[in-house]
Amino acid sequence: MDYKYIKQLLERYWNCETSLEEEDILRTFFSQEDIPSELESYKALFTYELGESKNEALGDDFDQKMMDIIEGEESQKPEKAKVISLTERLKPLFKAAAMVAIFLTLGNAAQVPFQKDAEYVGNTGNGQSVHGVSVAAIADSVSVDSMQQSNINQVAADPASNILK
């Protein structure tokens, strides 16, 4: 059997040139049981409406159901907004600042053992700081300090000569 007319209708359908009556012809054709295999792929396109229920209208009790839902929501007591104080708002900021301070403190404390030029500062009991590990070097530090003091006095006496150099 020749299905030339159906193929022409399909071609016009894809070009959006069919009328409603021609689309009904296509629906009727594809709702049959006996369809050629070359047109079988189009069957689902034209028979989907047969599987759908025709009664898509709202029921008579729809309005009453909607009114019950609306009245149920209106009868509930509205929840009041929670008042949040300024300290409660800033708590996350305080926590973050504390964490940054802790990390910086621990980072600085962890760097001290790894510094090669770090000076050892110990307690000698008389309020003086001791430079170096040796206690015998205390006497030597007094003479070094006096020599540095004499160099400072020379610079202060003749500042113009040092600037021009």
Side-chain angles (χ1 to χ4, degrees):
M1 182 174 222
D2 190 21
Y3 297 104
K4 189 182 249 184
Y5 179 67
I6 298 297
K7 289 179 183 177
Q8 288 176 355
L9 283 179
L10 280 173
E11 193 65 36
R12 290 184 60 211
Y13 180 79
W14 298 126
N15 292 330
C16 302
E17 297 172 352
T18 55
S19 65
L20 293 176
E21 292 82 21
E22 291 171 333
E23 290 179 14
D24 284 338
I25 293 170
L26 286 172
R27 281 189 207 96
T28 306
F29 173 76
F30 284 107
S31 64
Q32 298 174 4
E33 302 256 347
D34 203 19
I35 297 176
S37 61
E38 62 205 32
L39 299 175
E40 188 72 34
S41 60
Y42 303 117
K43 183 175 183 174
L45 178 67
F46 292 102
T47 59
Y48 76 95
E49 288 182 356
L50 298 175
E52 297 289 319
S53 65
K54 295 290 182 182
N55 189 4
E56 291 291 328
L58 298 175
D60 294 333
D61 60 341
F62 177 76
D63 291 334
Q64 185 60 37
K65 287 180 183 178
M66 293 307 303
M67 292 305 292
D68 291 341
I69 291 172
I70 292 171
E71 289 173 1
E73 290 176 358
E74 289 177 356
S75 65
Q76 293 177 352
K77 194 181 264 188
E79 293 182 24
K80 292 185 179 181
K82 183 179 178 183
V83 178
I84 300 174
S85 66
L86 183 62
T87 55
E88 289 178 6
R89 284 186 184 176
L90 295 178
K91 272 186 185 178
L93 184 63
F94 294 148
K95 289 179 182 179
M99 291 300 296
V100 168
I102 290 171
F103 280 124
L104 290 176
T105 304
L106 291 176
N108 288 339
Q111 287 181 0
V112 170
F114 298 113
Q115 293 176 350
K116 294 181 180 179
D117 297 332
E119 296 179 357
Y120 175 78
V121 179
N123 189 359
T124 59
N126 57 4
Q128 295 179 350
S129 62
V130 178
H131 299 285
V133 179
S134 174
V135 178
I138 294 175
D140 293 337
S141 67
V142 173
S143 64
V144 171
D145 287 342
S146 64
M147 291 178 69
Q148 288 177 353
Q149 182 68 27
S150 65
N151 288 340
I152 292 174
N153 290 337
Q154 288 175 358
V155 171
D158 190 17
S161 63
N162 290 335
I163 294 174
L164 296 176
K165 287 183 184 179

